[in-house]
């Protein structure tokens, strides 16, 4: 590759040497206008010697005389006739590079015509090529002229859509190699826009903003002869406003064959102002309001006035609005006619053009619903070249009030109540009847039912819609009554065209109030739709009934009295209800202990006669209680084999249930009977219970013992004739926890425990039971109770259960022993610290004795001995 480049460089050098020096100037002739500037370039190539070359310029005039003009090498090279122009800078030679220059001549003169030769003094080793080049300069006189003949141009102020034309004259002397161009421009402020140009080749070119209009013929450039050029603008637009300028140019071809402008002149032809037609557009629809009867024909005229009406076409649209504001957003479009007079309407509503500036609306068989404010909207369309249109103006007229009168039907509305409620949940029936009907041919009647809640006189009144029937007789329920209407609890019927009925199958307490109905009259329109013409409401009809709160009277009567254990107890409960509709009763038998401390539920019966044991949980006596329903309002309670523990006050708690609209039962009221007492004669001795303990404050882990001592008072009884059920419990706050129990047979029941402590129960004496809590902890802190139920043996050998007796509580406190809890940790910590200290001392001694011995001790003793010898 390197050899290839060496060979290529060598061949290129041989070719350049063989070609020799080359001096170039532009191909001539160069034609310039007198008084203009000219620049003639000259460059040299393929030369030897220094890179910067010198240049001499000479002129050979048409007369044959030669003159030295200017040189880059010798300042005395210039001829005397050119010295002043060279010294003043009007003629100068300037370097553009080391091997090229330009000759500049300002304001050339006719005498500057001739052949200019560019010479380069030789710096080559041998003479080869050309050392000069020549170009001809022709200086022609300034003959270009452009003017505006004002008298022949139509300018000034014109109306949008009109046409105008402008003229100017442009000419030059006929000189070989020159051509004339003409350009029309419009100037708006400091900016100018090219409209049309006649090029030196004779072609016409349009500016970018006028290209489409030029192709459609909207703008034209015409040659009228004798140097007159006319610009014609058809259907002027507001954007055509401005100052129009005619520009003439003189052109010659350069060495590449392209046209070069050597002179240009312009003149203002005239100022054009285009007046838009939008401000001049006026639209009106008659004057005054219009009143006519239904089924008549309405005629309205929309009149349009505008400048240049011959050039504009109108599009007309008619509207009717409920308000006089002429707002199209809330208006109804009636009919539309486009700019080609094509109507988009109906058989009843048409529009026609009665003149160039007026259109007429014809509305046949108007109805009351056609009442409103009528107005027309006009859009002015301006034609453009090529058959296109643009919107030039738009305006809406003021509205005209049109009132359509209609002979309304007359009728009265009567509201009655064939069925009224006496209790809550009774049915209610209201009837709305239309009477005294006149002028109602073809009229359809519908009804709306309303409810008004009773309110104090100083509060505003509000009405609730129950349901309404629309013009198609479709039922629509109010928001608050949708569910009841949907389920069929409220029924609306139409008995005949003039009678309507409202039925509330189950009237509620909240339905008390006033009711009224509103009957609406509907008339059918031409498009078979219905429009409401009138509303008439009935008077308000109150619906109410006497209301008292339901109540129950319950009387309990003892049927069999009890005097001793084992007897049968029977009690009857009689129920009397007031202000209750179809009630059912549920009953609950309760007993209150003689002490009054506790009430226990024994047995219940639901309103469906289903019995259930409540808190009667004595396993061997589950069948001892019976509850029966002797009649719809009477219940009987029976207890077989009564025990002494059954003593107390018995009573009935009765609940009344009534059905609602959905046949579901809800509680209406409750009642409690009087109390029936069960008391036993010769019940035997009396008992009391007390608790004793050696200490009630313990530390965690210790054992505490609490004794429950039973004391018998009254008549003495053999120990074998008395046995006891003993139960221990602990309470903290309102919470009581069962701990352990022992029945009269000595069987112990222990409750499961979560902590680490444990408890046990033992009988240490015939009437003493001891509770032991082992390994106490913080959770064992609280109040402890002992409950005792004595059992007495009767003369016939049967056992009778007495009432339960409960001791007063004792409080057990579990303290935290600080010294005891820290004793062992402190002892172990001190022992561990002592061991660690001894071990550290031992390790230090071993390290000092065996690992850290200093070897310099012997040397130091040796040195001391030497010192002693020197002293000797």
């Amino acid at each position: 590759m390197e050899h290839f480049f060496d060979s290529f460089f060598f061949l290129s050098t041989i070719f350049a040497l063989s070609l020799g020096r080359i001096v170039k100037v532009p191909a001539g002739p160069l034609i310039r206008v007198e008084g203009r500037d000219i620049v003639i370039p000259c460059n040299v190539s393929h030369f030897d010697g220094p890179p910067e070359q010198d240049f001499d310029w000479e002129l050979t005039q048409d007369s044959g005389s030669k003159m030295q003009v200017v040189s880059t090498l010798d300042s005395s090279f210039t001829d005397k006739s050119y010295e002043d122009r060279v010294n003043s800078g009007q003629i100068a030679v300037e370097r553009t590079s080391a091997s090229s220059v330009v000759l500049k001549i300002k304001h050339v003169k006719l005498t500057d015509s001739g052949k200019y030769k560019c010479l380069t003094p030789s710096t080559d080793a041998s003479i080869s090529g050309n050392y000069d080049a020549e170009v001809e300069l022709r200086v022609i006189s300034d003959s270009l002229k452009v003017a505006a003949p004002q008298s022949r141009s139509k300018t000034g102020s014109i109306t949008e859509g009109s046409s105008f034309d402008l003229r100017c004259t442009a000419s030059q002397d006929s000189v070989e190699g020159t051509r004339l161009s003409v350009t029309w421009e419009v100037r708006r402020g400091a900016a100018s826009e090219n409209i049309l140009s006649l090029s030196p080749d004779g072609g016409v070119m349009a500016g970018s903003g006028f290209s489409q209009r030029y192709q459609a013929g909207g703008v034209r450039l015409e040659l009228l002869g004798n140097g007159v050029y006319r610009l014609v603008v058809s259907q002027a637009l507001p954007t055509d406003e401005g100052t129009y300028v005619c520009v003439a140019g003189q052109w010659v071809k350069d060495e590449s064959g392209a046209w070069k402008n050597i002179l240009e002149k312009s003149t203002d032809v005239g100022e054009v102002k285009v007046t838009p037609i939008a401000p001049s557009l006026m639209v009106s629809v008659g004057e005054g309001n219009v009143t006519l009867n239904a089924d008549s024909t309405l005629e309205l005229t929309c009149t349009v006035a505008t400048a240049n009406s011959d050039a504009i076409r109108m599009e007309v649209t008619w509207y009717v609005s409920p308000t006089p504001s002429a707002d199209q957003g809330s208006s109804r479009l009636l009919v539309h006619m486009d700019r080609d007079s094509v109507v988009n309407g109906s058989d009843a509503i048409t529009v026609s053009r009665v003149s160039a500036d007026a259109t007429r609306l014809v509305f046949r068989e108007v109805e009351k619903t056609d009442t409103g404010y009528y107005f027309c909207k006009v859009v002015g369309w301006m034609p453009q070249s090529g058959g296109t249109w643009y919107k030039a103006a738009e305006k809406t007229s003021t509205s005209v009030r049109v009132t359509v009168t209609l002979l309304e039907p007359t009728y009265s509305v009567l509201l009655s109540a064939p069925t009224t409620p006496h209790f809550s949940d009774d049915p209610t029936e209201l009837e709305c009847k239309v009477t005294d009907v006149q002028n109602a041919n073809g009229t359809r009647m519908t009804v709306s039912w309303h409810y008004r809640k009773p309110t104090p006189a100083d509060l505003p009144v509000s009405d609730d819609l129950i349901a309404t029937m629309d013009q198609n007789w479709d039922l629509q329920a109010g928001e608050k009554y949708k569910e009841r209407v949907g389920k069929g609890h409220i029924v609306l019927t139409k008995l005949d065209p003039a009678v309507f009925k409202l039925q509330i199958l189950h009237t509620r307490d909240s339905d008390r109030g006033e009711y009224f109905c509103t009957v609406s009259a509907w008339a059918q329109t031409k498009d078979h739709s219905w429009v409401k013409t009138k509303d008439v409401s009935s008077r308000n009809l109150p619906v109410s009934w006497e209301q008292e709160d339901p109540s129950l009277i319950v009387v309990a009567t003892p049927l069999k009295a009890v005097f001793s254990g084992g007897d049968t107890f029977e009690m009857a409960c009689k129920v009397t209800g007031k202000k209750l509709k179809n009630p059912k009763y549920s009953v609950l038998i309760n007993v209150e202990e003689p002490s009054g401390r506790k009430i226990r539920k024994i047995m219940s019966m639901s309103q469906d006669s289903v019995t259930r044991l409540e808190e009667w949980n004595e396993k061997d006596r589950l069948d001892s209680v019976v509850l029966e329903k002797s009649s719809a309002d009477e219940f009987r309670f029976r207890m077989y084999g009564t025990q002494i523990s059954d003593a107390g006050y018995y009573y009935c708690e009765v609940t009344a249930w009534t059905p609602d609209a959905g046949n579901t039962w809800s509680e209406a009221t409750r009642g409690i009977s009087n109390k029936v007492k069960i008391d036993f004669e010769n019940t035997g001795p009396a008992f009391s219970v007390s608790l004793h303990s050696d200490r009630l404050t313990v530390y965690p882990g210790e054992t505490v013992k609490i004794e429950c001592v039973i004391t018998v008072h009254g008549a003495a009884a053999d120990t074998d004739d008395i046995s006891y059920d003993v139960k221990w419990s602990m309470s903290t706050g309102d919470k009581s926890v069962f701990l352990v129990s022992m029945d009269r047979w000595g069987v112990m029941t222990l409750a499961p425990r979560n902590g680490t402590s444990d408890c046990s129960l033992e009988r240490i004496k015939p009437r003493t039971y001891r509770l032991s809590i082992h390994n106490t902890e913080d959770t064992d802190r609280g109040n402890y109770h002992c409950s005792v139920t004595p059992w007495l043996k009767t003369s016939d050998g049967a056992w009778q259960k007495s009432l339960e007796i409960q001791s007063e509580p004792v409080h057990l406190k579990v303290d935290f022993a600080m010294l005891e809890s820290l004793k062992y940790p402190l002892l172990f910590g001190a022992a561990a610290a002592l061991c660690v200290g001894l071990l550290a001392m031992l390790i230090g001694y071993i390290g000092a004795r065996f690992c850290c011995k200093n070897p310099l001790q012997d040397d130091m003793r040796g040195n001391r001995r030497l010192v002693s010898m020197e002293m000797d």
Side-chain angles (χ1 to χ4, degrees), residues 536-553:
V536 176
S537 297
S538 69
R539 62 178 179 85
N540 293 349
L541 180 64
V543 173
S544 184
W545 59 92
E546 184 181 356
Q547 183 179 11
E548 293 183 9
D549 293 334
S551 61
L552 283 180
I553 299 175

PDB file of all heavy atoms in Angstrom, residues 536-553:
ATOM      1  N   VAL A 536    -104.084  19.093  39.018  1.00  0.00           N
ATOM      2  CA  VAL A 536    -105.068  19.489  40.033  1.00  0.00           C
ATOM      3  C   VAL A 536    -104.888  18.553  41.217  1.00  0.00           C
ATOM      4  O   VAL A 536    -104.872  17.315  41.048  1.00  0.00           O
ATOM      5  CB  VAL A 536    -106.508  19.417  39.500  1.00  0.00           C
ATOM      6  CG1 VAL A 536    -107.507  19.747  40.607  1.00  0.00           C
ATOM      7  CG2 VAL A 536    -106.689  20.364  38.319  1.00  0.00           C
ATOM      8  N   SER A 537    -104.742  19.122  42.425  1.00  0.00           N
ATOM      9  CA  SER A 537    -104.536  18.334  43.643  1.00  0.00           C
ATOM     10  C   SER A 537    -105.797  18.323  44.480  1.00  0.00           C
ATOM     11  O   SER A 537    -106.574  19.294  44.495  1.00  0.00           O
ATOM     12  CB  SER A 537    -103.370  18.894  44.464  1.00  0.00           C
ATOM     13  OG  SER A 537    -102.166  18.813  43.743  1.00  0.00           O
ATOM     14  N   SER A 538    -105.972  17.217  45.209  1.00  0.00           N
ATOM     15  CA  SER A 538    -107.114  17.097  46.112  1.00  0.00           C
ATOM     16  C   SER A 538    -106.800  17.795  47.434  1.00  0.00           C
ATOM     17  O   SER A 538    -105.675  18.256  47.664  1.00  0.00           O
ATOM     18  CB  SER A 538    -107.425  15.617  46.351  1.00  0.00           C
ATOM     19  OG  SER A 538    -106.378  15.030  47.132  1.00  0.00           O
ATOM     20  N   ARG A 539    -107.789  17.838  48.300  1.00  0.00           N
ATOM     21  CA  ARG A 539    -107.557  18.331  49.648  1.00  0.00           C
ATOM     22  C   ARG A 539    -106.758  17.277  50.424  1.00  0.00           C
ATOM     23  O   ARG A 539    -106.710  16.102  50.046  1.00  0.00           O
ATOM     24  CB  ARG A 539    -108.892  18.613  50.360  1.00  0.00           C
ATOM     25  CG  ARG A 539    -109.740  17.374  50.525  1.00  0.00           C
ATOM     26  CD  ARG A 539    -111.037  17.660  51.276  1.00  0.00           C
ATOM     27  NE  ARG A 539    -111.846  16.457  51.413  1.00  0.00           N
ATOM     28  CZ  ARG A 539    -111.701  15.556  52.367  1.00  0.00           C
ATOM     29  NH1 ARG A 539    -110.749  15.730  53.296  1.00  0.00           N
ATOM     30  NH2 ARG A 539    -112.467  14.488  52.420  1.00  0.00           N
ATOM     31  N   ASN A 540    -106.176  17.701  51.540  1.00  0.00           N
ATOM     32  CA  ASN A 540    -105.417  16.776  52.375  1.00  0.00           C
ATOM     33  C   ASN A 540    -106.370  15.963  53.248  1.00  0.00           C
ATOM     34  O   ASN A 540    -107.279  16.516  53.881  1.00  0.00           O
ATOM     35  CB  ASN A 540    -104.425  17.533  53.260  1.00  0.00           C
ATOM     36  CG  ASN A 540    -103.339  18.185  52.436  1.00  0.00           C
ATOM     37  OD1 ASN A 540    -103.202  17.921  51.257  1.00  0.00           O
ATOM     38  ND2 ASN A 540    -102.557  19.039  53.064  1.00  0.00           N
ATOM     39  N   LEU A 541    -106.143  14.637  53.265  1.00  0.00           N
ATOM     40  CA  LEU A 541    -106.997  13.755  54.043  1.00  0.00           C
ATOM     41  C   LEU A 541    -106.154  13.145  55.158  1.00  0.00           C
ATOM     42  O   LEU A 541    -105.176  12.437  54.894  1.00  0.00           O
ATOM     43  CB  LEU A 541    -107.562  12.642  53.159  1.00  0.00           C
ATOM     44  CG  LEU A 541    -108.491  11.639  53.848  1.00  0.00           C
ATOM     45  CD1 LEU A 541    -109.756  12.339  54.335  1.00  0.00           C
ATOM     46  CD2 LEU A 541    -108.847  10.501  52.902  1.00  0.00           C
ATOM     47  N   PRO A 542    -106.500  13.427  56.438  1.00  0.00           N
ATOM     48  CA  PRO A 542    -105.702  12.859  57.540  1.00  0.00           C
ATOM     49  C   PRO A 542    -106.022  11.378  57.745  1.00  0.00           C
ATOM     50  O   PRO A 542    -107.162  10.947  57.641  1.00  0.00           O
ATOM     51  CB  PRO A 542    -106.111  13.703  58.754  1.00  0.00           C
ATOM     52  CG  PRO A 542    -107.484  14.188  58.418  1.00  0.00           C
ATOM     53  CD  PRO A 542    -107.541  14.351  56.932  1.00  0.00           C
ATOM     54  N   VAL A 543    -104.982  10.600  58.032  1.00  0.00           N
ATOM     55  CA  VAL A 543    -105.114   9.180  58.357  1.00  0.00           C
ATOM     56  C   VAL A 543    -104.432   8.982  59.709  1.00  0.00           C
ATOM     57  O   VAL A 543    -103.220   9.205  59.832  1.00  0.00           O
ATOM     58  CB  VAL A 543    -104.469   8.285  57.277  1.00  0.00           C
ATOM     59  CG1 VAL A 543    -104.471   6.821  57.732  1.00  0.00           C
ATOM     60  CG2 VAL A 543    -105.215   8.436  55.965  1.00  0.00           C
ATOM     61  N   SER A 544    -105.220   8.568  60.740  1.00  0.00           N
ATOM     62  CA  SER A 544    -104.666   8.391  62.068  1.00  0.00           C
ATOM     63  C   SER A 544    -105.588   7.471  62.857  1.00  0.00           C
ATOM     64  O   SER A 544    -106.686   7.116  62.403  1.00  0.00           O
ATOM     65  CB  SER A 544    -104.519   9.740  62.782  1.00  0.00           C
ATOM     66  OG  SER A 544    -103.899   9.577  64.046  1.00  0.00           O
ATOM     67  N   TRP A 545    -105.165   7.051  63.980  1.00  0.00           N
ATOM     68  CA  TRP A 545    -105.961   6.244  64.886  1.00  0.00           C
ATOM     69  C   TRP A 545    -105.493   6.493  66.312  1.00  0.00           C
ATOM     70  O   TRP A 545    -104.386   6.980  66.537  1.00  0.00           O
ATOM     71  CB  TRP A 545    -105.882   4.761  64.535  1.00  0.00           C
ATOM     72  CG  TRP A 545    -104.480   4.205  64.580  1.00  0.00           C
ATOM     73  CD1 TRP A 545    -103.864   3.621  65.631  1.00  0.00           C
ATOM     74  CD2 TRP A 545    -103.545   4.199  63.508  1.00  0.00           C
ATOM     75  NE1 TRP A 545    -102.599   3.243  65.289  1.00  0.00           N
ATOM     76  CE2 TRP A 545    -102.371   3.582  63.974  1.00  0.00           C
ATOM     77  CE3 TRP A 545    -103.573   4.644  62.177  1.00  0.00           C
ATOM     78  CZ2 TRP A 545    -101.247   3.409  63.183  1.00  0.00           C
ATOM     79  CZ3 TRP A 545    -102.467   4.462  61.374  1.00  0.00           C
ATOM     80  CH2 TRP A 545    -101.313   3.842  61.900  1.00  0.00           C
ATOM     81  N   GLU A 546    -106.362   6.174  67.255  1.00  0.00           N
ATOM     82  CA  GLU A 546    -106.015   6.379  68.658  1.00  0.00           C
ATOM     83  C   GLU A 546    -104.904   5.406  69.043  1.00  0.00           C
ATOM     84  O   GLU A 546    -105.001   4.194  68.812  1.00  0.00           O
ATOM     85  CB  GLU A 546    -107.243   6.143  69.542  1.00  0.00           C
ATOM     86  CG  GLU A 546    -106.990   6.418  71.013  1.00  0.00           C
ATOM     87  CD  GLU A 546    -108.219   6.159  71.868  1.00  0.00           C
ATOM     88  OE1 GLU A 546    -109.275   5.831  71.288  1.00  0.00           O
ATOM     89  OE2 GLU A 546    -108.111   6.276  73.097  1.00  0.00           O
ATOM     90  N   GLN A 547    -103.878   5.917  69.621  1.00  0.00           N
ATOM     91  CA  GLN A 547    -102.704   5.100  69.913  1.00  0.00           C
ATOM     92  C   GLN A 547    -102.402   5.122  71.407  1.00  0.00           C
ATOM     93  O   GLN A 547    -102.289   6.168  72.023  1.00  0.00           O
ATOM     94  CB  GLN A 547    -101.474   5.596  69.152  1.00  0.00           C
ATOM     95  CG  GLN A 547    -100.251   4.734  69.373  1.00  0.00           C
ATOM     96  CD  GLN A 547     -99.058   5.250  68.586  1.00  0.00           C
ATOM     97  OE1 GLN A 547     -99.113   6.346  68.046  1.00  0.00           O
ATOM     98  NE2 GLN A 547     -98.007   4.460  68.539  1.00  0.00           N
ATOM     99  N   GLU A 548    -102.353   3.934  72.005  1.00  0.00           N
ATOM    100  CA  GLU A 548    -101.898   3.765  73.373  1.00  0.00           C
ATOM    101  C   GLU A 548    -100.830   2.697  73.376  1.00  0.00           C
ATOM    102  O   GLU A 548    -100.883   1.736  72.590  1.00  0.00           O
ATOM    103  CB  GLU A 548    -103.056   3.340  74.292  1.00  0.00           C
ATOM    104  CG  GLU A 548    -104.117   4.403  74.485  1.00  0.00           C
ATOM    105  CD  GLU A 548    -105.184   3.947  75.442  1.00  0.00           C
ATOM    106  OE1 GLU A 548    -105.002   2.880  76.067  1.00  0.00           O
ATOM    107  OE2 GLU A 548    -106.202   4.647  75.562  1.00  0.00           O
ATOM    108  N   ASP A 549     -99.898   2.858  74.258  1.00  0.00           N
ATOM    109  CA  ASP A 549     -98.835   1.869  74.331  1.00  0.00           C
ATOM    110  C   ASP A 549     -99.411   0.552  74.816  1.00  0.00           C
ATOM    111  O   ASP A 549    -100.218   0.516  75.754  1.00  0.00           O
ATOM    112  CB  ASP A 549     -97.731   2.332  75.277  1.00  0.00           C
ATOM    113  CG  ASP A 549     -96.998   3.544  74.734  1.00  0.00           C
ATOM    114  OD1 ASP A 549     -96.982   3.704  73.502  1.00  0.00           O
ATOM    115  OD2 ASP A 549     -96.461   4.335  75.549  1.00  0.00           O
ATOM    116  N   PRO A 550     -99.034  -0.565  74.188  1.00  0.00           N
ATOM    117  CA  PRO A 550     -99.540  -1.864  74.647  1.00  0.00           C
ATOM    118  C   PRO A 550     -99.038  -2.167  76.057  1.00  0.00           C
ATOM    119  O   PRO A 550     -97.962  -1.720  76.474  1.00  0.00           O
ATOM    120  CB  PRO A 550     -98.966  -2.847  73.615  1.00  0.00           C
ATOM    121  CG  PRO A 550     -97.780  -2.150  73.054  1.00  0.00           C
ATOM    122  CD  PRO A 550     -98.106  -0.692  73.069  1.00  0.00           C
ATOM    123  N   SER A 551     -99.823  -2.942  76.795  1.00  0.00           N
ATOM    124  CA  SER A 551     -99.456  -3.262  78.171  1.00  0.00           C
ATOM    125  C   SER A 551     -99.911  -4.688  78.496  1.00  0.00           C
ATOM    126  O   SER A 551    -100.780  -5.253  77.818  1.00  0.00           O
ATOM    127  CB  SER A 551    -100.079  -2.274  79.158  1.00  0.00           C
ATOM    128  OG  SER A 551    -101.491  -2.321  79.077  1.00  0.00           O
ATOM    129  N   LEU A 552     -99.307  -5.239  79.522  1.00  0.00           N
ATOM    130  CA  LEU A 552     -99.624  -6.582  79.994  1.00  0.00           C
ATOM    131  C   LEU A 552     -99.881  -6.543  81.498  1.00  0.00           C
ATOM    132  O   LEU A 552     -99.186  -5.834  82.239  1.00  0.00           O
ATOM    133  CB  LEU A 552     -98.473  -7.552  79.713  1.00  0.00           C
ATOM    134  CG  LEU A 552     -98.290  -8.065  78.279  1.00  0.00           C
ATOM    135  CD1 LEU A 552     -97.091  -8.999  78.239  1.00  0.00           C
ATOM    136  CD2 LEU A 552     -99.533  -8.789  77.803  1.00  0.00           C
ATOM    137  N   ILE A 553    -100.874  -7.317  81.948  1.00  0.00           N
ATOM    138  CA  ILE A 553    -101.131  -7.535  83.365  1.00  0.00           C
ATOM    139  C   ILE A 553    -101.000  -9.037  83.611  1.00  0.00           C
ATOM    140  O   ILE A 553    -101.716  -9.843  82.986  1.00  0.00           O
ATOM    141  CB  ILE A 553    -102.526  -7.039  83.778  1.00  0.00           C
ATOM    142  CG1 ILE A 553    -102.638  -5.521  83.521  1.00  0.00           C
ATOM    143  CG2 ILE A 553    -102.795  -7.364  85.249  1.00  0.00           C
ATOM    144  CD1 ILE A 553    -104.025  -4.975  83.793  1.00  0.00           C
TER     145      ILE A 553
END
